[in-house]
Amino acid sequence: MKLDATVRSAFEKAFPGEDFGFVRVTPATDPKFGDYQCNDALKIAKRLGMPPREVAAKVAANIDPSLKAEVAGPGFLNLTVSAAWLAAALADLAAKPGCGIPQNGAGKRVVIDYSSPNAAKQMHIGHIRSTVIGGALDRIFRALGYEVIADNHLGDWGTQFGILIKGYRECLSDDERANLTVAALEKCYVLSAAKAKADETWKDACRAELVKLQQGDADNLALWKRFIDISIGEFERMYAKLGVKFDTYRGESYYNDVMPGVVARLQEMGLAVESEGALVVNLEAEKLGVAIVRKSDGGYNYTTSDLACVKTRVEEYVPERIIYVTDARQQLHFKQWFSIAAKMGYTDVKLVHVPFGLMSYQGKAISTREGNLIRLDDLLTEAKRRALEIVQDRGGDEKLAEQIGYGAVKYSDLSHDPATDIDFSWDKALALEGNSGPYLQYAYARVCSLMAKAGADASGPSGGTFAVETPSEKRLALQLLEFPGAVVRAAEAYKPSVLADYLFQTAQLYSSFYQNSPILKSEAAVREARLGLCALFGRILRTGLNLLGIETPQHI
Ligand code: ARG
């Protein structure tokens, strides 16, 4: 924020020779303390050997009087900005591309590993969270200037493929085999797995197919490849609806050849030791238990695969960080292998796990047994159907119903802190009032129609003439200036919900501004100034919603 620099330089002038890089200005917690505050005089007072209030007073004396710096409490610095300062700050923000989102990530590369479903199964409601949270982080990091590699780490290897290959050959009709779908794969898996449970011969045959596949048998490899391609095709149909796009689909199988070398290295380093026939890394010292890196049957597991994967990603991409978006039940797995990776020397890369909580559906836990393991495709179809009911009275079409229905599903997830458990409810997701996707989309459409009536364009750059007079204008103006900060905080916390909260609050402040301030009927100068605020609000809302992967139709 620009004020950071202003106040920092006041610190520097008051106390030459000290480093004040840590100085930050934040919005005031209560308007009675002014508009902004800085509490850093308290941090530095001890080192300067001076009471904090005196430090603050010396700094205040070096701040331009138009910012009305005042010392309060034990040594807080409160700032009250003038109407002219606000107008200039708004014009400055409006003139910047991307509504002032700073390019903090320029020159830095990050890999984001998200969605990552298991192949040969249809995506269900449980897959929404990783896809939608990861997709929003992907967009936010790109907007901050990072080079993002969005990688879908498909579960595309493992014992299930023996069962599937056998099932495909013997449980499907010729027609099903010729026009293979993920639904048919799921069906033959269920049938084959049930037979394997009841019949030892069948089970052995499945295992034999798996061994053939692992040894590179051409027929089984070709079948496996076909299963994966069909799965990706089906997943991409969902991703298109959700507005998510991957740069690479490197599933677990991609790292098969890398795993033996990683395990050999762990042994050489003395990190992995034999235990009951398996090879394990002892992490008891960090209270992380014991991680198996090679099973007693000689096979590798999820830990080995993630270690091989990080080695490959680090060597190939040299990323500044890698972000993994998975459900919170995988926390121990990530803690374990992050620790092993650090011991192996992968310390230049920042490894981040973004865990998310469970999702229930209309108040009920999601489980196959409850019969509510809803397919993602069906959920999205239902979202569209319900949205169409809402928009068709207004002449809305299918395209609009998709924008609103899919937006509602996404926003209902993104408006919550990823770490919390959430409940998906149709009423809440599609509510036209309250913290919902449709509410924010309507707010955007309304500002567009206002701009159209005024003969201006909410999507273009605003005129740049700002004037801030009334309290509701001022509250909205201060809030609009926080947009770049909200995007930065969302990225730093790996929580798209920070941005969603910001947008919702902004829309509420806009709505009270709108109710209190006649616009089109005001005299020319006031009208122009207020339209300027409306246009900037519109741009910020659109930019912010798009960062969450939510479309912003101009007419609803
Ligand atoms: N396929 C896993 C699952 O369905 C998620 C993989 C996440 N990525 C990773 N590198 N472990 O839970």
Side-chain angles (χ1 to χ4, degrees):
M1 191 171 35
K2 221 169 98 194
L3 272 184
D4 286 334
T6 310
V7 174
R8 199 172 297 144
S9 93
F11 267 93
E12 283 158 2
K13 275 192 215 135
F15 304 99
E18 295 283 338
D19 178 12
F20 290 107
F22 62 90
V23 168
R24 291 281 178 282
V25 177
T26 51
T29 45
D30 185 328
K32 72 172 185 271
F33 302 133
D35 303 322
Y36 293 98
Q37 64 191 47
C38 171
N39 303 340
D40 294 326
L42 295 154
K43 273 194 205 151
I44 190 93
K46 210 167 175 186
R47 207 171 81 216
L48 296 170
M50 211 188 248
R53 279 188 67 96
E54 260 176 55
V55 175
K58 260 190 102 172
V59 175
N62 282 286
I63 294 177
D64 191 292
S66 72
L67 291 172
K68 274 185 61 193
E70 281 165 350
V71 180
F76 302 139
L77 209 52
N78 294 337
L79 306 174
T80 307
V81 297
S82 65
W85 184 92
L86 269 176
L90 289 168
D92 201 38
L93 185 72
K96 287 191 180 137
C99 299
I101 299 172
Q103 297 304 289
N104 295 350
K108 293 181 195 155
R109 188 179 277 164
V110 5
V111 178
I112 311 184
D113 171 327
Y114 67 97
S115 195
S116 309
N118 293 329
K121 281 191 191 160
Q122 304 188 78
M123 286 176 86
H124 58 77
I125 182 166
H127 291 110
I128 290 179
R129 300 210 74 187
S130 178
T131 310
V132 165
I133 297 168
L137 291 175
D138 181 341
R139 287 163 181 268
I140 290 171
F141 274 82
R142 280 180 214 262
L144 286 162
Y146 287 86
E147 182 196 338
V148 174
I149 296 165
D151 189 15
N152 196 323
H153 191 82
L154 293 175
D156 67 352
W157 200 251
T159 46
Q160 71 268 34
F161 286 95
I163 299 167
L164 267 168
I165 292 173
K166 175 85 176 151
Y168 168 85
R169 294 215 173 99
E170 301 190 30
C171 306
L172 291 184
S173 66
D174 288 345
D175 188 45
E176 282 169 323
R177 274 194 294 266
N179 304 299
L180 194 59
T181 61
V182 179
L185 282 173
E186 207 167 73
K187 175 183 135 186
C188 78
Y189 178 81
V190 172
L191 292 172
S192 177
K195 284 201 176 182
K197 233 180 176 178
D199 174 356
E200 276 299 316
T201 330
W202 188 281
K203 192 171 169 187
D204 289 343
C206 292
R207 214 175 287 138
E209 296 295 4
L210 179 68
V211 171
K212 273 172 78 181
L213 174 68
Q214 286 166 339
Q215 291 171 346
D217 172 81
D219 287 347
N220 279 10
L221 259 183
L223 265 188
W224 168 80
K225 178 92 178 43
R226 188 159 169 237
F227 298 167
I228 303 303
D229 289 344
I230 287 169
S231 305
I232 292 179
E234 173 70 16
F235 298 155
E236 287 199 322
R237 215 162 55 77
M238 297 305 112
Y239 295 145
K241 293 184 181 186
L242 292 172
V244 166
K245 218 172 154 296
F246 290 92
D247 298 302
T248 46
Y249 282 90
R250 290 182 174 176
E252 291 176 22
S253 66
Y254 188 85
Y255 307 99
N256 281 347
D257 298 342
V258 187
M259 289 194 284
V262 166
V263 170
R265 178 134 164 257
L266 285 169
Q267 277 181 298
E268 274 161 38
M269 294 177 82
L271 286 170
V273 293
E274 298 264 350
S275 167
E276 294 167 36
L279 206 57
V280 305
V281 180
N282 191 323
L283 300 166
E284 296 288 7
E286 295 142 75
K287 299 208 165 48
L288 293 176
V290 165
I292 297 178
V293 292
R294 196 179 65 208
K295 297 183 284 184
S296 51
D297 65 4
Y300 300 115
N301 65 7
Y302 196 30
T303 303
T304 338
S305 148
D306 264 324
L307 288 169
C309 174
V310 77
K311 172 180 165 27
T312 310
R313 285 175 177 163
V314 165
E315 287 170 3
E316 184 171 339
Y317 300 129
V318 200
E320 184 243 359
R321 67 183 109 182
I322 310 178
I323 301 168
Y324 300 83
V325 187
T326 82
D327 77 70
R329 288 169 298 189
Q330 298 192 25
Q331 254 159 324
L332 179 62
H333 163 74
F334 280 96
K335 282 191 183 141
Q336 285 186 332
W337 82 256
F338 282 3
S339 160
I340 300 173
K343 294 186 207 308
M344 292 177 82
Y346 298 113
T347 47
D348 285 345
V349 61
K350 198 153 122 197
L351 300 175
V352 184
H353 181 215
V354 179
F356 54 82
L358 296 177
M359 180 155 98
S360 53
Y361 177 75
Q362 305 265 55
K364 278 206 186 122
I366 296 169
S367 76
T368 334
R369 226 175 302 138
E370 297 278 339
N372 64 354
L373 194 68
I374 297 160
R375 295 187 324 131
L376 182 53
D377 204 11
D378 293 340
L379 184 90
L380 294 176
T381 304
E382 177 67 4
K384 180 176 169 182
R385 189 190 68 75
R386 289 181 184 241
L388 194 58
E389 266 175 17
I390 299 173
V391 299
Q392 65 193 4
D393 298 348
R394 305 162 181 250
D397 57 5
E398 299 232 339
K399 168 89 183 131
L400 184 62
E402 286 176 357
Q403 291 175 311
I404 293 189
Y406 303 163
V409 168
K410 287 191 260 190
Y411 190 85
S412 76
D413 188 328
L414 296 173
S415 56
H416 294 93
D417 184 327
T420 56
D421 289 348
I422 58 172
D423 182 53
F424 180 84
S425 123
W426 286 112
D427 288 344
K428 261 194 257 153
L430 285 164
L432 300 180
E433 289 300 327
N435 196 2
S436 74
Y439 168 75
L440 292 174
Q441 286 173 319
Y442 272 103
Y444 180 71
R446 268 200 300 266
V447 79
C448 286
S449 84
L450 174 76
M451 299 309 287
K453 260 191 226 151
D457 178 7
S459 61
S462 56
T465 327
F466 291 94
V468 181
E469 305 293 343
T470 67
S472 64
E473 286 172 354
K474 182 166 180 182
R475 274 195 299 276
L476 176 62
L478 286 166
Q479 173 78 2
L480 293 177
L481 293 176
E482 290 309 305
F483 176 65
V487 177
V488 171
R489 280 187 292 119
E492 280 173 352
Y494 305 102
K495 291 183 195 300
S497 56
V498 169
L499 179 57
D501 285 346
Y502 167 83
L503 295 174
F504 178 53
Q505 279 169 19
T506 310
Q508 283 177 309
L509 288 175
Y510 174 77
S511 146
S512 74
F513 152 78
Y514 184 79
Q515 277 156 25
N516 288 315
S517 325
I519 297 172
L520 297 179
K521 293 203 176 85
S522 296
E523 52 93 8
V526 173
R527 177 188 144 109
E528 196 188 337
R530 289 186 177 161
L531 280 174
L533 275 178
C534 295
L536 187 57
F537 164 70
R539 276 176 64 203
I540 284 178
L541 185 58
R542 191 192 57 208
T543 309
L545 284 174
N546 293 169
L547 286 180
L548 296 178
I550 294 173
E551 290 186 34
T552 41
Q554 294 206 9
H555 305 283
I556 293 188

